[in-house]
């Protein structure tokens, strides 16, 4: 397929490489800045663009990989002048209906993963959640998604909102806890690398156990002596202390 990639950020980078690897032609990469567009376009042997009017009118599919706050405005600029196109966005928390009134054929192709430009991921096992407005979009989207991932499924916009929320709990919040742990260790000249075996084993365990069954630590049994002493160590960081105490109480409540 001939693809126009609208966006050049973290997700767009991995997705663009996955599409190329699957044999699709990423013809153009649009971004608000030429620097971002050029970096990804060069890697994909595509044309970099910053002017919406230069976006091709003959692509098979237009994939919007943009932050939520920019998505609707760019859709309104791109879609109406390309009435035959199939348009997809990749956002977890945005409804498919964001295209309504601007396009006839549209859908969602949401890869549930954490992306960074510096790490181009293998898409083959990344779950992709799909939604389509009509049979034209459904057929094209299914073909596109299956070509880059072996784990695809259909999901409504309403359910995808909860999926995205669960992903925030499973990914973004733990990563913030890693950042707090790193900052706490740095205050005492302890390298964060000592945490990696623990982090890796914690992640491995939930491949075999439910998260509740895998939970350990003083909060499970609500060991008030340990919890109180550790909370005192955070007196100089009241926000961290509040997180620690609320998380401990919630862990105990969920495992009681």
């Amino acid at each position: 397929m001939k693809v126009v990639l609208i966006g050049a950020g973290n997700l767009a980078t991995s997705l663009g490489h996955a599409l190329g690897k699957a044999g699709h032609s990423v013809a153009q990469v649009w971004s608000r800045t030429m620097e971002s567009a050029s970096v990804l376009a060069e890697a994909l042997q595509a044309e970099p663009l910053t002017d919406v009017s230069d976006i091709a009118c003959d692509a098979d599919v237009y994939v919007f990989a943009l932050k939520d706050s920019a998505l609707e405005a760019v859709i309104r600029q791109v879609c109406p002048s390309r009435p035959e196109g199939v348009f997809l966005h990749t956002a977890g928390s945005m409804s498919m209906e964001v295209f309504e009134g601007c396009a006839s054929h549209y859908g969602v192709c949401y890869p549930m993963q954490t992306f960074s430009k510096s790490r181009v991921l293998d898409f083959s096992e990344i779950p992709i959640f799909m939604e389509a407005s009509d049979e034209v979009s459904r057929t094209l989207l299914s073909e596109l998604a299956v070509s880059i991932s072996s784990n695809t499924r259909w999901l409504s916009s309403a359910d995808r909102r909860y999926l995205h929320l669960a992903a925030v709990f499973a990914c973004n919040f733990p990563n913030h806890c890693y950042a707090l742990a790193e900052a706490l260790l740095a205050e005492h000249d302890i390298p964060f690398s000592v945490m990696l075996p623990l982090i890796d084993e914690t992640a491995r365990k939930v491949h075999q156990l439910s998260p509740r069954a895998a939970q350990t630590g003083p909060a499970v049994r609500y060991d008030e002596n340990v919890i109180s002493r550790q909370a005192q160590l955070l007196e100089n960081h009241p926000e961290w202390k509040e997180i620690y105490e609320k998380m401990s109480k919630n862990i105990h409540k969920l495992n009681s």
Side-chain angles (χ1 to χ4, degrees), residues 185 190-199:
L185 291 170
I190 303 172
F192 180 70
S193 59
V194 301
M195 291 286 136
L196 296 180
L198 175 64
I199 290 169

Side-chain angles (χ1 to χ4, degrees), residues 157-208:
S157 287
D159 286 338
R160 195 175 65 258
R161 289 186 303 164
Y162 289 96
L163 176 73
H164 189 253
L165 174 59
V168 169
F169 273 100
C171 173
N172 304 129
F173 288 174
N175 194 71
H176 180 62
C177 289
Y178 300 158
L180 297 185
E182 182 180 40
L184 187 63
L185 291 170
E187 290 179 356
H188 300 278
D189 297 320
I190 303 172
F192 180 70
S193 59
V194 301
M195 291 286 136
L196 296 180
L198 175 64
I199 290 169
D200 291 344
E201 175 56 18
T202 302
R204 279 194 293 265
K205 280 203 296 186
V206 294
H207 284 263
Q208 298 177 336

Side-chain angles (χ1 to χ4, degrees), residues 46-123:
E47 178 188 6
L49 303 174
T50 57
D51 190 335
V52 168
S53 65
D54 291 332
I55 293 175
C57 294
D58 62 345
D60 296 304
V61 60
Y62 300 81
V63 181
F64 293 78
L66 301 169
K67 60 183 180 180
D68 291 0
S69 60
L71 184 59
E72 187 170 0
V74 179
I75 283 173
R76 293 187 182 280
Q77 290 178 281
V78 174
C79 298
S81 58
R82 297 162 181 83
E84 300 305 314
V86 174
F87 303 92
L88 307 173
H89 79 63
T90 59
S93 59
M94 293 293 285
S95 169
M96 178 177 69
E97 305 311 321
V98 70
F99 289 107
E100 202 167 61
C102 295
S104 299
H105 311 300
Y106 53 87
V108 179
C109 180
Y110 170 52
M112 193 181 67
Q113 185 53 276
T114 176
F115 297 98
S116 298
K117 284 185 180 181
S118 58
R119 288 176 56 81
V120 175
L121 302 182
D122 178 2
F123 252 75

